[in-house]
Amino acid sequence: MSQPESAVADAQAGGRAQESLAALAERYGLRRAIARPSLPAYLRQLWDRRHFIVTYATSKNVSNYSTSALGQLWQVLTPLLNAAVYWLMFGVILAQSKHIQNYPAFLITGVMVFTFTQRTVTGGAKSISGNLSLIRALHFPRATLPLAYAIQELQVLGWSMGVLIVLVLVTGEPISWLWLLIPVALVLQFVFNLGASLFMARIGAFVRDINQLLPFILRTWLYASGVFYMITERTAGLPSALRWALEFNPAAAYIEFMRDLLIYQRFPERWAWVTCTFWAVFAVIGGFWYFWRAEERYGRG
């Protein structure tokens, strides 16, 4: 007789009437069908599925634009059109371009960098709630989904960065050796985005109204991140606590880091390195742990 059959026989016979079902399961080596694995085991499961994650992200990119005439060109056109609208509003009507050198490059860099984080967070918030049929049909580490959405947006950013570099050159900025640090900036931002995506994936799985609130939260974050203006100039007269919060804003830090490399031709200051690194490490560790804690609850109910 197998161990599961022995456990059932013991329970039915009443031979161990005082022993709980949990103790019986433990004695015979049984475990829940859906149980949260240990953190090291969970990481190994994700690594084993790395090829699926990349393939899933790539297929999502292709399918998202398969019905449009311009196809994947919209991955680049969307942030460019947004930048054009913002330039009209802030650069022309509100005359920000008079106070900031090379405002077109300044604005486009801010829009591209912030859009990377915005789209990753939005995709992460829907990654679990939008794939319930897949989650209920197959057993796999649920972090696969927000990770795939983050990689999907990284793939989109690759095209956007190519266009951004061309536009920066067209606006008169010279090529610099500092551009070699652009991959470092993108890796730091990607790690932060991944952590934020995991965090929002758990919230989106259990708080369905977050998808209605998130656009307003992200729009506020956009205006507070120095996409259209220089934070150091606008925060001069603010209370110290509010000024510190704006300058320590992760999106603002990644935007300023990229502008230093692309436009200002200067090595990013120490505060930028510290802020960007801190947010990347804090977000990915905190977000991953927070998501993993609810692993066995995703897809239920």
Side-chain angles (χ1 to χ4, degrees):
M1 184 179 295
S2 65
Q3 284 189 344
E5 291 173 343
S6 299
V8 173
D10 279 352
Q12 291 177 342
R16 297 181 177 272
Q18 303 301 320
E19 190 172 14
S20 68
L21 290 176
L24 271 175
E26 182 178 359
R27 186 161 67 88
Y28 286 98
L30 305 180
R31 55 179 299 183
R32 288 178 296 168
I34 301 177
R36 184 179 71 239
S38 66
L39 196 55
Y42 195 66
L43 288 171
R44 286 195 298 271
Q45 291 176 13
L46 285 173
W47 176 252
D48 291 341
R49 291 162 176 81
R50 61 191 183 277
H51 300 299
F52 166 76
I53 293 172
V54 175
T55 302
Y56 182 77
T58 304
S59 64
K60 288 285 291 182
N61 261 334
V62 174
S63 63
N64 283 347
Y65 302 94
S66 60
T67 58
S68 61
L70 296 180
Q72 291 185 302
L73 281 176
W74 282 111
Q75 296 178 354
V76 176
L77 289 176
T78 299
L80 285 178
L81 291 173
N82 284 332
V85 173
Y86 295 142
W87 177 79
L88 177 63
M89 293 297 299
F90 292 91
V92 178
I93 298 177
L94 297 179
Q96 282 290 317
S97 57
K98 296 180 180 179
H99 310 291
I100 298 176
Q101 182 180 1
N102 196 354
Y103 189 72
F106 176 94
L107 178 62
I108 294 171
T109 302
V111 170
M112 293 284 193
V113 173
F114 186 84
T115 299
F116 180 33
T117 294
Q118 180 185 43
R119 287 172 58 98
T120 305
V121 170
T122 301
K126 299 176 181 178
S127 61
I128 299 298
S129 60
N131 291 282
L132 290 178
S133 59
L134 179 63
I135 290 172
R136 291 167 178 167
L138 300 173
H139 179 66
F140 61 94
R142 309 315 188 194
T144 295
L145 295 172
L147 180 56
Y149 277 79
I151 292 176
Q152 175 188 349
E153 295 307 326
L154 182 64
Q155 293 174 342
V156 173
L157 183 71
W159 293 96
S160 299
M161 285 302 302
V163 175
L164 175 59
I165 289 175
V166 171
L167 292 174
V168 167
L169 291 172
V170 168
T171 58
E173 300 297 338
I175 297 176
S176 169
W177 70 269
L178 290 170
W179 289 15
L180 296 175
L181 293 176
I182 290 176
V184 177
L186 296 181
V187 167
L188 288 173
Q189 188 181 2
F190 171 76
V191 173
F192 167 78
N193 290 353
L194 176 58
S197 177
L198 288 163
F199 181 83
M200 291 305 303
R202 175 172 173 177
I203 294 179
F206 304 115
V207 184
R208 301 301 171 84
D209 289 343
I210 193 64
N211 290 322
Q212 279 65 50
L213 293 173
L214 196 56
F216 300 99
I217 296 172
L218 291 173
R219 192 173 305 137
T220 303
W221 195 11
L222 169 71
Y223 292 130
S225 298
V227 173
F228 319 113
Y229 57 88
M230 297 186 69
I231 283 188
T232 53
E233 293 182 359
R234 294 293 180 176
T235 59
L238 296 176
S240 58
L242 181 56
R243 184 172 67 251
W244 180 87
L246 289 173
E247 293 178 354
F248 197 59
N249 172 1
Y254 292 118
I255 289 171
E256 288 303 313
F257 197 103
M258 189 64 71
R259 284 172 176 161
D260 282 345
L261 300 178
L262 281 176
I263 303 173
Y264 302 134
Q265 309 295 320
R266 66 191 181 198
F267 193 80
E269 298 179 8
R270 181 181 298 177
W271 76 267
W273 283 98
V274 171
T275 303
C276 292
T277 304
F278 167 81
W279 278 116
V281 174
F282 175 79
V284 76
I285 294 177
F288 189 85
W289 179 86
Y290 181 69
F291 183 90
W292 166 76
R293 291 286 295 174
E295 173 70 13
E296 71 275 17
R297 295 168 54 197
Y298 300 125
R300 293 189 174 184

